[in-house]
Amino acid sequence: MGTSDEEIDRLLGKLTPRARALLLTGATTWRTKAEPAVSLRELVMSDGPAGVRGEAWDERITSVLLPSASALAATWDEALVERLGGLLAAEARRKGVDVLLAPTLNLHRSPLGGRHFECLSEDPELTGRIGAALIRGVQAHGVAATAKHYVANDSETDRLTVDVRVGERALREVYLAPFEAAVAAGVRLVMAGYNAVNGTTMTASALLTDPLKSEWGFDGVVVSDWGAVRGTVDTARAGLDLAMPGPEGPWGEALARAVADGDVPGAAVDDKARRLLRLAARLDALGGSDSHRPVPTGESLGGERSAAVRASSAVRDTCLSVSVDSPHGAEHLSDRAPSPNRGSSRPVPTGESLGGERSAAVRASSAARDTCLPVPTDNTRGTERPSAPAPSPTRDDRARAHVRTLARRAVAAGAVLLANRDVLPLDPERLATVAVIGAHAARTRTQGGGSAGVFPGEEVSVLDGIRAELRDRAARVAHVPGPRPDGPAPPLAPDDCTDPRSGLPGVLLRMLDAEGRELYAERRLGGRLLEPRLVPGAHTVEICARLRPRTAGSWTLGVAGFGRMSLTLDGRTLLAGDFPPRTDDPAVVHVNPPAQYATADLAVGRDTLLVARRELAPGTGRATVLVAAPPAPDVGAALSEAARAAAGADAAIVVVGTTEHGELEGHDRTDLALGATQDALVRAVTAVNPRTVAVVNSGGPVELPWRERAGAVLLAWFPGQEGGAGLADVIFGRAEPGGRLPTTWPAALADAPVTRTRPDGAGRLDYDEGLHVGHRGWLRHHRTPAYWFGHGLGYTTWSYDELTVPTAVRAGDDLTVRVRVRNTGVRQGREVVQVYLARPASTLDRPVRWLAGYAAVRARPGETATATVRVPARTLRHWSVAEHAWRTETGTWRVLAGRSAGDVPLAADLEVVPAPGE
C-alpha cells in the first residue's frame, strides 16, 4: 500500500463524516478501531521504553527488559541505542504490537522527579540525540515510535492538572527541542501529555499545531496520553488526532455530533483521519496487508515461551473457570475514567478453558467453591498437559544469546564509574574471598515503577553475576544482606507462599459474585495482580495464599487497592474497611495503589492461610496486591554481620539503592536520601575494608554522603534483566564502564538549583529558572555538585591536548570542531569528548555554557586520537520572543572541550559572521 496523499484521500472518500470521526477514538485500551470499508485493521499499542509489555498486565507473559532510559542516555552512544531500538522493535513484532509508546523526551528538570528513570537526560541536546537514535532503531523494523509527553511534563506531582508556566524562549530552546529532534528523525506519533502549559491543557493546546505540525512539518499522529482528553470541542479543534483509550471517552459519538452541528470543522476531522490512515499505511495495516503480524502468544524474543509460563502450565490446568470471557464482561463495574489497564477485547493467554462449559468436577464441587481451599477434582487435575514441541534448540539458543549479549553490553556501556581509588577493576586471580553485601545485591532493582513496567522472563542480580564470574575460580563469594532498606512491605513472592489448592508456588486468584460464589479461579505467580480478569457478575477479587514463614515474629501483612477491602489470616480478620481513591491518576489507581497494613505474629514451620478481598466498584480500578514482610532484622546486628564479612574479605561489594516506592510514576520524591540504614551499611563496610566497591542501584540522583570513603563508586542505574552480568563484566574488568552522567548529581538536595515540583495553591508550577536547567543552573549559581553532567571514569586516563575550531562560521551553518586527546593510562579505553559553547559578551540571558556536541574515541595506551565533533547550527541560535523566530547572534563565541560540564580544559574563540544577505 502506498502512502501518497492521493491514495489516502481516495480511501478517506469512502468514509462518511461520522465514520471518520469514530475512527479517532480507541476501540479498546490498547487498540485503535478497524474500518472494513477501507480494509483498515486495528493498530495495537504498548507501553515502553525499557521493554514491550503488550496488551496485558500478566506476569506469565514475559518481555525482554533493557536498562532504564537514564542508563541508555548515559551511554552517549547513539549507534548502540539504535541497535537496542531494533531489539525493542523485534520484541514488538513478536507480540503483535504496531506502536511502541516510547521514548520519553521530558527532561530531568529537578532531581526530585519521580519518573527520571524513564526519561533520558537533563539536557535538551543529549535527550534529542539519544531519543532520535531509539526512534530510528524502532522504526527501521516496521514498528512506530512515539515521542512523549509533549510538552513540559517533567514531574509527577498533580501531573493530571498541573499548569506549567514557562517562558516562550525556554519552551522553545529547552523543552520543545527534544521533540523537534524526534520529528526530524521521522517519529510516527507524538503523545500529548496530561499537563497544561501556560493555561491550556496540552490535548487542546495550540502547540500541537504550531510548531509541531506547521513549522516542523510533522505528518504523523498526535495521540493523547491515556485519559488526557477531557473535552470534545476544544481538543478536536486543536491538533490532537487520536483519543485513547476507548471505546468510551469524550470523542466518539460526541465528536461525530459536534461535526454534524458545525461545532468542529469537518476539515479538522478529515485531517486527523488522514493522518491515522497514513500511519496505518506505513505499518502495513491498510488495504488488507496483515501478513507480517504474528498472533500474539506470550512468547518472548526468539520464539521461546517464558520459563514462568512453562512453569505455570500445570497449575493453569487446575484453574476453575465457569464463565464466558466477554469483551463487555462486568464493564459496568470498572472505572469509566480511561485507564491504562482496562480489559482488552482480546483475552489474555492463560491456558484456561473459557468457553462457558462447566466441567463435571466443577459441577460436583459447587458448594466447596465458596472457599479457596482444595476442591474435589477428577484424577487428572493437577497434572501437566503435554507441552507443545519446543522450538529448535539451535534457533532458540541463537535468539536468546543475541538478546542477552546485547542487553548485557548495554549494562556495561551505561554504567557510570563515579569514583575509583585504584580499586576497580578487581583481579579475580588475586581474590580469595569477596563479600557481597546488601539486600539489593540479591534482589537488584532492574526497572522503575509505573505503566512502563514489564515482566522479564529472567533477571540476573548483582550477586548472581558475581557468582557466575567467580564460579570456576578459587574465590569464595560470601553474601550478607545487611539491614532491610527502608520502605513498605513488598508484594508476596512465589518463594514465600503456595497456592492453597494446587500446593504449587504462587497464589490463588478468584473472582467472586455478590454472594461470594466463585466465578473464575487460577493460580498466579505472585501477589501483585493488576488486571484480574473481569467476568460477568464479577463483584469481588480474592487472593489466597498459604504463607510459609521462614522467620518467626511480627510480620507486616497488607492488601493494596481501593474500595471495600479485607484481609484475614486463618479466618481471623486483620483489617477491613472502605478505602476510597484520593486521586484519579491512572498510575496510582491501576498500577501502584496504596496498601493498608496489619501485623500478626507468625511461627516458623506453621503454615497460615492469608486471604485478601476487594470489591469492584466504579472509580476504584481492579488492581489488587497482597503484601507481606517478615520482621526486620536488628539493624545493629545486621551491620555488625556485614562489617565482619567485609573485614574478612579481599574485596567488598556493597549494593544500595532506591526501593519500589521511591522512584515510580505518579509520585515525585521528597528527598534524595537512600535511608539511614543503607547509608550506615556503606559506612560500616568502608570502615573495615578500603577495597570496597559501592554499587548504586537507582534510576536518578541520590545523595551519597559516604562517597569519599568508598574505594570505588559505580552507578548501575536500573540495569534491566542482564544487570548483574553486565555489572560483573565491569567490576572484574571484562568491560570498561562506558557511562557518562546524563544529569548532574548533587551532594545534597539543598544544593540543587531547581527543587520545586509541587504546584502552588492555584495549580501552577512556574519554571522560573528559564533556560538554566541542569548543569546550566549549577554553573549560573556557582555551585559545585557531587558529580557534573557528563562525568564518568573509565579504566584508563586521558590528556586533552588540542582544540581546533574554524576561525569563523556563518550564522545558520553547522561547524566542525576537532579535539585531540591522548590515552595516558595502561589499557585501551573509550573517551566521550564533549564540546560546550559560551557567549560571554551576549546581550541576552544565556547559560554560562551549554552542551553543543560530543563524540567518542578509542585509543590504546600512549596513542592519540582526534574526536571530530559536529556542532549543529541550532546550538548557536536563540529564540527571539519579539520576532517569534530563530536568530543567531554574530560576534565572538567561546568553544570549550573536556570531559564534563565542570571539566573543560580546552577553549578557543569562534567568530560568527552574518549569513549572506543579512
Side-chain angles (χ1 to χ4, degrees), residues 354-395:
L354 296 174
E357 179 184 355
R358 289 186 168 202
S359 69
V362 172
R363 290 195 301 271
S365 60
S366 59
R369 288 188 294 104
D370 290 343
T371 74
C372 59
L373 297 176
V375 298
T377 63
D378 62 52
N379 58 11
T380 65
R381 284 288 180 186
T383 60
E384 187 168 353
R385 294 175 184 169
S387 60
S392 164
T394 301
R395 182 191 65 184

mmCIF file of all heavy atoms in Angstrom, residues 354-395:
data_model
loop_
_atom_site.group_PDB
_atom_site.id
_atom_site.type_symbol
_atom_site.label_atom_id
_atom_site.label_comp_id
_atom_site.label_asym_id
_atom_site.label_seq_id
_atom_site.Cartn_x
_atom_site.Cartn_y
_atom_site.Cartn_z
ATOM 1 N N LEU A 354 -12.320 -21.157 28.556
ATOM 2 C CA LEU A 354 -13.234 -20.064 28.876
ATOM 3 C C LEU A 354 -14.488 -20.142 28.019
ATOM 4 O O LEU A 354 -15.130 -19.144 27.754
ATOM 5 C CB LEU A 354 -12.527 -18.730 28.678
ATOM 6 C CG LEU A 354 -11.352 -18.494 29.620
ATOM 7 C CD1 LEU A 354 -10.651 -17.207 29.224
ATOM 8 C CD2 LEU A 354 -11.838 -18.399 31.049
ATOM 9 N N GLY A 355 -14.848 -21.326 27.590
ATOM 10 C CA GLY A 355 -15.984 -21.443 26.702
ATOM 11 C C GLY A 355 -17.324 -21.418 27.387
ATOM 12 O O GLY A 355 -18.355 -21.504 26.754
ATOM 13 N N GLY A 356 -17.329 -21.321 28.727
ATOM 14 C CA GLY A 356 -18.593 -21.237 29.429
ATOM 15 C C GLY A 356 -19.136 -22.585 29.841
ATOM 16 O O GLY A 356 -20.164 -22.694 30.508
ATOM 17 N N GLU A 357 -18.473 -23.697 29.488
ATOM 18 C CA GLU A 357 -18.984 -25.017 29.819
ATOM 19 C C GLU A 357 -18.391 -25.472 31.136
ATOM 20 O O GLU A 357 -17.179 -25.511 31.307
ATOM 21 C CB GLU A 357 -18.599 -26.013 28.732
ATOM 22 C CG GLU A 357 -19.093 -27.428 29.041
ATOM 23 C CD GLU A 357 -18.625 -28.415 27.993
ATOM 24 O OE1 GLU A 357 -18.018 -27.955 27.017
ATOM 25 O OE2 GLU A 357 -18.841 -29.606 28.162
ATOM 26 N N ARG A 358 -19.229 -25.835 32.103
ATOM 27 C CA ARG A 358 -18.728 -26.312 33.371
ATOM 28 C C ARG A 358 -18.211 -27.734 33.226
ATOM 29 O O ARG A 358 -18.839 -28.579 32.630
ATOM 30 C CB ARG A 358 -19.835 -26.315 34.429
ATOM 31 C CG ARG A 358 -20.260 -24.928 34.892
ATOM 32 C CD ARG A 358 -21.229 -25.091 36.029
ATOM 33 N NE ARG A 358 -21.450 -23.832 36.699
ATOM 34 C CZ ARG A 358 -21.893 -23.747 37.954
ATOM 35 N NH1 ARG A 358 -22.153 -24.848 38.628
ATOM 36 N NH2 ARG A 358 -22.079 -22.577 38.504
ATOM 37 N N SER A 359 -17.076 -28.007 33.828
ATOM 38 C CA SER A 359 -16.593 -29.388 33.857
ATOM 39 C C SER A 359 -17.371 -30.172 34.895
ATOM 40 O O SER A 359 -17.982 -29.616 35.807
ATOM 41 C CB SER A 359 -15.112 -29.408 34.214
ATOM 42 O OG SER A 359 -14.939 -29.017 35.553
ATOM 43 N N ALA A 360 -17.331 -31.484 34.784
ATOM 44 C CA ALA A 360 -18.009 -32.329 35.772
ATOM 45 C C ALA A 360 -17.445 -32.089 37.162
ATOM 46 O O ALA A 360 -18.172 -32.082 38.156
ATOM 47 C CB ALA A 360 -17.854 -33.800 35.376
ATOM 48 N N ALA A 361 -16.134 -31.896 37.222
ATOM 49 C CA ALA A 361 -15.513 -31.673 38.534
ATOM 50 C C ALA A 361 -16.025 -30.386 39.164
ATOM 51 O O ALA A 361 -16.269 -30.309 40.368
ATOM 52 C CB ALA A 361 -13.989 -31.601 38.387
ATOM 53 N N VAL A 362 -16.209 -29.362 38.355
ATOM 54 C CA VAL A 362 -16.715 -28.102 38.888
ATOM 55 C C VAL A 362 -18.149 -28.261 39.359
ATOM 56 O O VAL A 362 -18.522 -27.776 40.421
ATOM 57 C CB VAL A 362 -16.603 -26.988 37.832
ATOM 58 C CG1 VAL A 362 -17.296 -25.732 38.301
ATOM 59 C CG2 VAL A 362 -15.146 -26.721 37.530
ATOM 60 N N ARG A 363 -18.960 -28.936 38.563
ATOM 61 C CA ARG A 363 -20.355 -29.111 38.960
ATOM 62 C C ARG A 363 -20.451 -29.891 40.255
ATOM 63 O O ARG A 363 -21.259 -29.584 41.123
ATOM 64 C CB ARG A 363 -21.126 -29.828 37.851
ATOM 65 C CG ARG A 363 -21.350 -28.991 36.602
ATOM 66 C CD ARG A 363 -22.409 -29.609 35.715
ATOM 67 N NE ARG A 363 -22.058 -30.958 35.307
ATOM 68 C CZ ARG A 363 -21.344 -31.237 34.207
ATOM 69 N NH1 ARG A 363 -20.924 -30.257 33.440
ATOM 70 N NH2 ARG A 363 -21.060 -32.478 33.895
ATOM 71 N N ALA A 364 -19.589 -30.901 40.416
ATOM 72 C CA ALA A 364 -19.646 -31.739 41.609
ATOM 73 C C ALA A 364 -19.176 -31.004 42.846
ATOM 74 O O ALA A 364 -19.467 -31.408 43.963
ATOM 75 C CB ALA A 364 -18.797 -33.002 41.402
ATOM 76 N N SER A 365 -18.426 -29.940 42.655
ATOM 77 C CA SER A 365 -17.821 -29.266 43.818
ATOM 78 C C SER A 365 -18.348 -27.858 44.001
ATOM 79 O O SER A 365 -17.684 -27.013 44.575
ATOM 80 C CB SER A 365 -16.310 -29.218 43.660
ATOM 81 O OG SER A 365 -15.970 -28.511 42.494
ATOM 82 N N SER A 366 -19.584 -27.588 43.532
ATOM 83 C CA SER A 366 -20.076 -26.212 43.568
ATOM 84 C C SER A 366 -20.146 -25.677 44.981
ATOM 85 O O SER A 366 -19.881 -24.497 45.217
ATOM 86 C CB SER A 366 -21.460 -26.142 42.910
ATOM 87 O OG SER A 366 -22.367 -27.000 43.581
ATOM 88 N N ALA A 367 -20.463 -26.489 45.933
ATOM 89 C CA ALA A 367 -20.531 -25.997 47.304
ATOM 90 C C ALA A 367 -19.155 -25.636 47.833
ATOM 91 O O ALA A 367 -18.986 -24.642 48.535
ATOM 92 C CB ALA A 367 -21.170 -27.051 48.206
ATOM 93 N N ALA A 368 -18.171 -26.446 47.494
ATOM 94 C CA ALA A 368 -16.823 -26.214 48.018
ATOM 95 C C ALA A 368 -16.187 -24.968 47.434
ATOM 96 O O ALA A 368 -15.242 -24.435 48.008
ATOM 97 C CB ALA A 368 -15.937 -27.425 47.745
ATOM 98 N N ARG A 369 -16.710 -24.488 46.310
ATOM 99 C CA ARG A 369 -16.066 -23.363 45.644
ATOM 100 C C ARG A 369 -16.305 -22.032 46.341
ATOM 101 O O ARG A 369 -15.890 -21.003 45.852
ATOM 102 C CB ARG A 369 -16.492 -23.285 44.185
ATOM 103 C CG ARG A 369 -15.884 -24.388 43.353
ATOM 104 C CD ARG A 369 -16.139 -24.192 41.884
ATOM 105 N NE ARG A 369 -17.544 -24.297 41.560
ATOM 106 C CZ ARG A 369 -18.331 -23.257 41.294
ATOM 107 N NH1 ARG A 369 -17.865 -22.053 41.360
ATOM 108 N NH2 ARG A 369 -19.599 -23.443 40.989
ATOM 109 N N ASP A 370 -16.970 -22.030 47.476
ATOM 110 C CA ASP A 370 -17.115 -20.794 48.225
ATOM 111 C C ASP A 370 -15.841 -20.462 49.002
ATOM 112 O O ASP A 370 -15.765 -19.421 49.646
ATOM 113 C CB ASP A 370 -18.297 -20.887 49.196
ATOM 114 C CG ASP A 370 -19.628 -20.906 48.454
ATOM 115 O OD1 ASP A 370 -19.623 -20.523 47.276
ATOM 116 O OD2 ASP A 370 -20.626 -21.310 49.050
ATOM 117 N N THR A 371 -14.855 -21.320 48.974
ATOM 118 C CA THR A 371 -13.584 -21.057 49.648
ATOM 119 C C THR A 371 -12.458 -21.234 48.649
ATOM 120 O O THR A 371 -12.652 -21.727 47.539
ATOM 121 C CB THR A 371 -13.359 -22.032 50.823
ATOM 122 O OG1 THR A 371 -13.021 -23.325 50.301
ATOM 123 C CG2 THR A 371 -14.603 -22.142 51.687
ATOM 124 N N CYS A 372 -11.249 -20.859 49.089
ATOM 125 C CA CYS A 372 -10.093 -21.034 48.211
ATOM 126 C C CYS A 372 -9.328 -22.296 48.560
ATOM 127 O O CYS A 372 -8.209 -22.499 48.093
ATOM 128 C CB CYS A 372 -9.168 -19.818 48.294
ATOM 129 S SG CYS A 372 -8.550 -19.490 49.940
ATOM 130 N N LEU A 373 -9.922 -23.166 49.389
ATOM 131 C CA LEU A 373 -9.258 -24.411 49.763
ATOM 132 C C LEU A 373 -9.423 -25.434 48.649
ATOM 133 O O LEU A 373 -10.227 -25.271 47.739
ATOM 134 C CB LEU A 373 -9.855 -24.927 51.068
ATOM 135 C CG LEU A 373 -9.645 -24.005 52.272
ATOM 136 C CD1 LEU A 373 -10.359 -24.559 53.488
ATOM 137 C CD2 LEU A 373 -8.171 -23.821 52.544
ATOM 138 N N PRO A 374 -8.675 -26.559 48.693
ATOM 139 C CA PRO A 374 -8.765 -27.574 47.633
ATOM 140 C C PRO A 374 -10.186 -28.083 47.471
ATOM 141 O O PRO A 374 -10.935 -28.214 48.434
ATOM 142 C CB PRO A 374 -7.811 -28.669 48.131
ATOM 143 C CG PRO A 374 -6.856 -27.957 49.018
ATOM 144 C CD PRO A 374 -7.647 -26.870 49.679
ATOM 145 N N VAL A 375 -10.571 -28.360 46.230
ATOM 146 C CA VAL A 375 -11.901 -28.862 45.927
ATOM 147 C C VAL A 375 -11.771 -30.225 45.293
ATOM 148 O O VAL A 375 -10.734 -30.568 44.717
ATOM 149 C CB VAL A 375 -12.648 -27.913 44.965
ATOM 150 C CG1 VAL A 375 -12.833 -26.564 45.618
ATOM 151 C CG2 VAL A 375 -11.905 -27.754 43.652
ATOM 152 N N PRO A 376 -12.811 -31.050 45.376
ATOM 153 C CA PRO A 376 -12.737 -32.363 44.730
ATOM 154 C C PRO A 376 -12.563 -32.205 43.230
ATOM 155 O O PRO A 376 -13.227 -31.391 42.610
ATOM 156 C CB PRO A 376 -14.102 -32.993 45.069
ATOM 157 C CG PRO A 376 -14.623 -32.211 46.245
ATOM 158 C CD PRO A 376 -14.071 -30.837 46.097
ATOM 159 N N THR A 377 -11.697 -32.977 42.659
ATOM 160 C CA THR A 377 -11.459 -32.937 41.217
ATOM 161 C C THR A 377 -11.306 -34.349 40.725
ATOM 162 O O THR A 377 -11.162 -35.297 41.496
ATOM 163 C CB THR A 377 -10.173 -32.164 40.899
ATOM 164 O OG1 THR A 377 -9.061 -32.839 41.477
ATOM 165 C CG2 THR A 377 -10.242 -30.750 41.455
ATOM 166 N N ASP A 378 -11.332 -34.493 39.387
ATOM 167 C CA ASP A 378 -11.056 -35.801 38.839
ATOM 168 C C ASP A 378 -9.562 -36.072 38.953
ATOM 169 O O ASP A 378 -8.770 -35.213 39.288
ATOM 170 C CB ASP A 378 -11.548 -35.907 37.392
ATOM 171 C CG ASP A 378 -10.852 -34.923 36.487
ATOM 172 O OD1 ASP A 378 -9.602 -34.904 36.491
ATOM 173 O OD2 ASP A 378 -11.560 -34.182 35.753
ATOM 174 N N ASN A 379 -9.166 -37.303 38.648
ATOM 175 C CA ASN A 379 -7.779 -37.673 38.914
ATOM 176 C C ASN A 379 -6.785 -37.126 37.914
ATOM 177 O O ASN A 379 -5.601 -37.415 38.012
ATOM 178 C CB ASN A 379 -7.656 -39.210 38.993
ATOM 179 C CG ASN A 379 -8.127 -39.876 37.704
ATOM 180 O OD1 ASN A 379 -8.337 -39.184 36.701
ATOM 181 N ND2 ASN A 379 -8.323 -41.191 37.756
ATOM 182 N N THR A 380 -7.281 -36.310 36.975
ATOM 183 C CA THR A 380 -6.325 -35.698 36.041
ATOM 184 C C THR A 380 -5.955 -34.286 36.458
ATOM 185 O O THR A 380 -5.062 -33.703 35.883
ATOM 186 C CB THR A 380 -6.931 -35.635 34.622
ATOM 187 O OG1 THR A 380 -8.055 -34.754 34.637
ATOM 188 C CG2 THR A 380 -7.359 -37.013 34.152
ATOM 189 N N ARG A 381 -6.683 -33.736 37.448
ATOM 190 C CA ARG A 381 -6.395 -32.367 37.870
ATOM 191 C C ARG A 381 -5.040 -32.295 38.551
ATOM 192 O O ARG A 381 -4.665 -33.187 39.315
ATOM 193 C CB ARG A 381 -7.463 -31.874 38.834
ATOM 194 C CG ARG A 381 -8.761 -31.502 38.146
ATOM 195 C CD ARG A 381 -8.602 -30.218 37.372
ATOM 196 N NE ARG A 381 -9.843 -29.861 36.712
ATOM 197 C CZ ARG A 381 -9.939 -28.854 35.889
ATOM 198 N NH1 ARG A 381 -8.915 -28.107 35.620
ATOM 199 N NH2 ARG A 381 -11.081 -28.582 35.322
ATOM 200 N N GLY A 382 -4.332 -31.199 38.282
ATOM 201 C CA GLY A 382 -3.030 -31.008 38.919
ATOM 202 C C GLY A 382 -1.898 -31.650 38.163
ATOM 203 O O GLY A 382 -0.746 -31.538 38.553
ATOM 204 N N THR A 383 -2.200 -32.329 37.065
ATOM 205 C CA THR A 383 -1.131 -32.895 36.250
ATOM 206 C C THR A 383 -0.903 -31.994 35.064
ATOM 207 O O THR A 383 -1.806 -31.323 34.581
ATOM 208 C CB THR A 383 -1.507 -34.307 35.755
ATOM 209 O OG1 THR A 383 -2.697 -34.196 34.978
ATOM 210 C CG2 THR A 383 -1.742 -35.243 36.933
ATOM 211 N N GLU A 384 0.300 -31.986 34.580
ATOM 212 C CA GLU A 384 0.652 -31.080 33.491
ATOM 213 C C GLU A 384 0.263 -31.679 32.158
ATOM 214 O O GLU A 384 0.495 -32.856 31.890
ATOM 215 C CB GLU A 384 2.158 -30.808 33.524
ATOM 216 C CG GLU A 384 2.571 -29.750 32.547
ATOM 217 C CD GLU A 384 3.994 -29.285 32.792
ATOM 218 O OE1 GLU A 384 4.578 -29.692 33.782
ATOM 219 O OE2 GLU A 384 4.491 -28.513 31.956
ATOM 220 N N ARG A 385 -0.357 -30.861 31.345
ATOM 221 C CA ARG A 385 -0.689 -31.302 29.994
ATOM 222 C C ARG A 385 0.584 -31.469 29.184
ATOM 223 O O ARG A 385 1.563 -30.764 29.417
ATOM 224 C CB ARG A 385 -1.570 -30.267 29.313
ATOM 225 C CG ARG A 385 -2.942 -30.101 29.931
ATOM 226 C CD ARG A 385 -3.667 -28.972 29.250
ATOM 227 N NE ARG A 385 -4.952 -28.711 29.867
ATOM 228 C CZ ARG A 385 -5.695 -27.658 29.602
ATOM 229 N NH1 ARG A 385 -5.280 -26.767 28.733
ATOM 230 N NH2 ARG A 385 -6.849 -27.475 30.201
ATOM 231 N N PRO A 386 0.543 -32.324 28.210
ATOM 232 C CA PRO A 386 1.722 -32.413 27.332
ATOM 233 C C PRO A 386 1.974 -31.071 26.675
ATOM 234 O O PRO A 386 1.061 -30.437 26.156
ATOM 235 C CB PRO A 386 1.305 -33.481 26.306
ATOM 236 C CG PRO A 386 0.200 -34.245 26.968
ATOM 237 C CD PRO A 386 -0.518 -33.274 27.860
ATOM 238 N N SER A 387 3.202 -30.643 26.738
ATOM 239 C CA SER A 387 3.531 -29.347 26.149
ATOM 240 C C SER A 387 3.741 -29.486 24.653
ATOM 241 O O SER A 387 4.032 -30.561 24.141
ATOM 242 C CB SER A 387 4.799 -28.775 26.802
ATOM 243 O OG SER A 387 5.864 -29.674 26.595
ATOM 244 N N ALA A 388 3.602 -28.386 23.981
ATOM 245 C CA ALA A 388 3.853 -28.355 22.550
ATOM 246 C C ALA A 388 5.337 -28.575 22.290
ATOM 247 O O ALA A 388 6.175 -28.286 23.148
ATOM 248 C CB ALA A 388 3.407 -27.026 21.975
ATOM 249 N N PRO A 389 5.667 -29.099 21.151
ATOM 250 C CA PRO A 389 7.089 -29.304 20.855
ATOM 251 C C PRO A 389 7.863 -28.000 20.987
ATOM 252 O O PRO A 389 7.421 -26.943 20.552
ATOM 253 C CB PRO A 389 7.071 -29.789 19.392
ATOM 254 C CG PRO A 389 5.695 -30.336 19.194
ATOM 255 C CD PRO A 389 4.785 -29.525 20.054
ATOM 256 N N ALA A 390 9.008 -28.091 21.645
ATOM 257 C CA ALA A 390 9.831 -26.896 21.847
ATOM 258 C C ALA A 390 10.428 -26.449 20.526
ATOM 259 O O ALA A 390 10.629 -27.240 19.610
ATOM 260 C CB ALA A 390 10.948 -27.207 22.841
ATOM 261 N N PRO A 391 10.695 -25.148 20.395
ATOM 262 C CA PRO A 391 11.365 -24.662 19.183
ATOM 263 C C PRO A 391 12.738 -25.308 19.048
ATOM 264 O O PRO A 391 13.293 -25.842 20.007
ATOM 265 C CB PRO A 391 11.485 -23.156 19.431
ATOM 266 C CG PRO A 391 10.508 -22.848 20.519
ATOM 267 C CD PRO A 391 10.407 -24.082 21.333
ATOM 268 N N SER A 392 13.252 -25.221 17.855
ATOM 269 C CA SER A 392 14.572 -25.771 17.606
ATOM 270 C C SER A 392 15.574 -25.206 18.587
ATOM 271 O O SER A 392 15.717 -23.996 18.708
ATOM 272 C CB SER A 392 15.012 -25.424 16.182
ATOM 273 O OG SER A 392 16.394 -25.624 16.036
ATOM 274 N N PRO A 393 16.300 -26.047 19.331
ATOM 275 C CA PRO A 393 17.269 -25.535 20.299
ATOM 276 C C PRO A 393 18.295 -24.616 19.656
ATOM 277 O O PRO A 393 18.702 -23.628 20.243
ATOM 278 C CB PRO A 393 17.917 -26.810 20.856
ATOM 279 C CG PRO A 393 16.894 -27.875 20.630
ATOM 280 C CD PRO A 393 16.212 -27.504 19.343
ATOM 281 N N THR A 394 18.699 -24.935 18.449
ATOM 282 C CA THR A 394 19.721 -24.109 17.811
ATOM 283 C C THR A 394 19.194 -22.708 17.547
ATOM 284 O O THR A 394 19.826 -21.717 17.897
ATOM 285 C CB THR A 394 20.161 -24.757 16.487
ATOM 286 O OG1 THR A 394 20.662 -26.063 16.762
ATOM 287 C CG2 THR A 394 21.244 -23.936 15.837
ATOM 288 N N ARG A 395 18.015 -22.613 16.978
ATOM 289 C CA ARG A 395 17.426 -21.309 16.723
ATOM 290 C C ARG A 395 17.145 -20.578 18.019
ATOM 291 O O ARG A 395 17.405 -19.376 18.160
ATOM 292 C CB ARG A 395 16.128 -21.487 15.941
ATOM 293 C CG ARG A 395 15.448 -20.165 15.578
ATOM 294 C CD ARG A 395 14.047 -20.391 15.046
ATOM 295 N NE ARG A 395 13.190 -20.944 16.087
ATOM 296 C CZ ARG A 395 11.924 -21.307 15.874
ATOM 297 N NH1 ARG A 395 11.419 -21.216 14.654
ATOM 298 N NH2 ARG A 395 11.195 -21.791 16.854
#
